[in-house]
Amino acid sequence: MSRPRKAEDPIRWPVPCNRCGQHHQTVARWPDGGLCGYCYQQAKRTRGICACGHEGVLPGIIEEQPTCRRCSGVRLNVDCVGCGDEDELYSGGRCWTCVLGDVVDDLLTNQATGSMADDLIPLAAALKSMKRANSGLTWIQQKHVTAFLRNLAVAPHISHETFDELPASRTREYVRGLLTEHGVLPQRDELRMRYDSWAAEAIERVKDPQHLT
Ligand SMILES: [Zn+2]
Ligand SMILES: [Zn+2]
Ligand SMILES: [Zn+2]
């Protein structure tokens, strides 16, 4: 999710960024120097294992190597209040993964009963563990995905037929695939199903008196 860079402006920002050398507004002053917004964003998202052995966010730079806060003296809040992990914080002091988890729980909970159907628990777990939580959040917050998951949350039971009755979409097949993968739904030959429904419709068309003339 890197934003396209604006053109640099040496007149407005005469002192270049210490990391990229370009003339942008300085948004932070760290022990290694002033940083532009782009480098600051990138630093927050740099993860790995520091030379000291610490694993987590490595915002600092020492001898061109990404370095943890403790070694570099960089002061940056990357402590998630939800899971306690070091990560880029998204909102309310929570990391992307925690926020995604909250959204998934909210969408898959039947608001009338206040609980989640047992069948949907593996789906919730799968959605929460998406590797790129920020892309996952962008995906799940699209109107059609939100609406689909809310519908599923109130479905009386989860079966292939439940899915067949919901409007056809890529979201529907993606979620069906996840539930099949987690053993909530049995494997089904989708090609065969599509053929059968096509064949049934074809028979209906033939039976239609308009086609008998
Ligand atoms: Zn920079
Ligand atoms: Zn370190
Ligand atoms: Zn978290």
Side-chain angles (χ1 to χ4, degrees), residues 49-55 57-58 62 66-72:
I49 303 173
C50 179
C52 71
H54 177 87
E55 186 171 357
V57 177
L58 308 179
I62 294 177
T67 312
C68 76
R69 287 177 293 175
R70 204 179 157 147
C71 293
S72 62

Side-chain angles (χ1 to χ4, degrees), residues 5 17-22 24 35-40:
R5 278 179 177 244
C17 166
N18 186 55
R19 292 201 178 176
C20 65
Q22 292 199 354
H24 296 291
L35 267 81
C36 74
Y38 301 107
C39 292
Y40 180 76

Side-chain angles (χ1 to χ4, degrees), residues 90-92 94-104 137 141:
Y90 173 53
S91 79
R94 300 164 79 78
C95 71
W96 290 89
T97 305
C98 285
V99 175
L100 174 65
D102 294 346
V103 171
V104 169
L137 203 58
Q141 284 176 330

Side-chain angles (χ1 to χ4, degrees), residues 50-95:
C50 179
C52 71
H54 177 87
E55 186 171 357
V57 177
L58 308 179
I61 287 189
I62 294 177
E63 290 172 2
E64 296 180 14
Q65 293 303 310
T67 312
C68 76
R69 287 177 293 175
R70 204 179 157 147
C71 293
S72 62
V74 164
R75 295 175 60 144
L76 177 70
N77 181 14
V78 285
D79 302 300
C80 174
V81 297
C83 62
D85 280 358
E86 278 188 13
D87 212 335
E88 183 190 4
L89 303 182
Y90 173 53
S91 79
R94 300 164 79 78
C95 71

